Amino acid sequence: MTRAGIFVENQLALLGIRYLLDAEADIQVAFAASTPFAVAPGSVDCLVLDRGLLGELPPAVPAARTVLLTRGPETGSERTGATLPLDDAPLLLVDAIRRVAAPGPAPVRQGVATLSPREREVLGHLVEGCTHDQAARRIGISQHTVDTYVKRIRSKLGAHNKAQLVRAALTTP
């Protein structure tokens, strides 16, 4: 049984995620709150966290196994970036929780501090939800160069996908 904690600011989203997870036989919701509070180590296997609440997390919140909820970057009133089909979003969230909470050690990482300034810049754009093409345009380099930087970043951080890259950026020194 996976024990999940939820910190999501929007009350409607919080209730929806709680309802979704309560319907899963193998996931138990330990808590659901719109304001972060200290969490005892070992009390949850996975934390579902609204990116907007990152700055409000108390030091006692474990961040090693976290599903981070983000929105695509916005330009003026126009939403840009990749979108998920709404019908698939609940399945993707449940799948992400199961993967993140799976037993076993987290991959060993050298840390974000080992990245070059340009690699950190590219990683920052990925954390914001940019695609490789969007990051390239913002920085003023080609998409192929961004692809190369991302390969180097993945190698240095031991990350195999974008979710692991974002988690590494948010949880390692």
Side-chain angles (χ1 to χ4, degrees):
M1 175 75 66
T2 297
R3 294 164 297 154
I6 307 167
F7 288 137
V8 175
E9 194 169 23
N10 179 294
Q11 289 294 320
L12 185 58
L14 178 69
L15 291 172
I17 293 169
R18 171 91 196 228
Y19 180 79
L20 173 71
L21 298 183
D22 281 341
E24 297 298 317
D26 62 331
I27 299 175
Q28 176 187 14
V29 177
F31 59 82
S34 59
T35 305
F37 53 82
V39 178
S43 63
V44 294
D45 302 307
C46 176
L47 184 64
V48 178
L49 177 65
D50 186 345
R51 181 174 180 229
L53 295 176
L54 273 174
E56 298 178 31
L57 284 178
V61 174
R65 300 199 182 265
T66 303
V67 174
L68 187 66
L69 304 177
T70 64
R71 285 177 283 183
E74 298 190 17
T75 309
S77 62
E78 173 185 324
R79 184 182 164 108
T80 61
T83 59
L84 292 174
L86 189 56
D87 293 344
D88 292 344
L91 298 175
L92 293 171
L93 177 60
V94 170
D95 183 55
I97 290 168
R98 287 184 178 126
R99 287 177 186 231
V100 167
V108 176
R109 295 178 184 88
Q110 296 177 8
V112 175
T114 64
L115 301 179
S116 72
R118 183 64 95 177
E119 289 168 341
R120 282 195 294 274
E121 185 178 10
V122 168
L123 183 57
H125 288 294
L126 296 180
V127 168
E128 290 175 5
C130 292
T131 64
H132 291 201
D133 185 50
Q134 290 168 331
R137 279 188 265 130
R138 288 182 178 188
I139 297 170
I141 59 178
S142 77
Q143 181 178 343
H144 296 292
T145 304
V146 169
D147 294 342
T148 299
Y149 281 125
V150 171
K151 286 177 188 174
R152 290 180 191 164
I153 296 166
R154 283 185 176 167
S155 175
K156 289 181 179 181
L157 299 182
H160 301 288
N161 57 43
K162 238 180 228 187
Q164 290 178 348
L165 280 177
V166 171
R167 184 170 71 189
L170 297 171
T171 62
T172 61

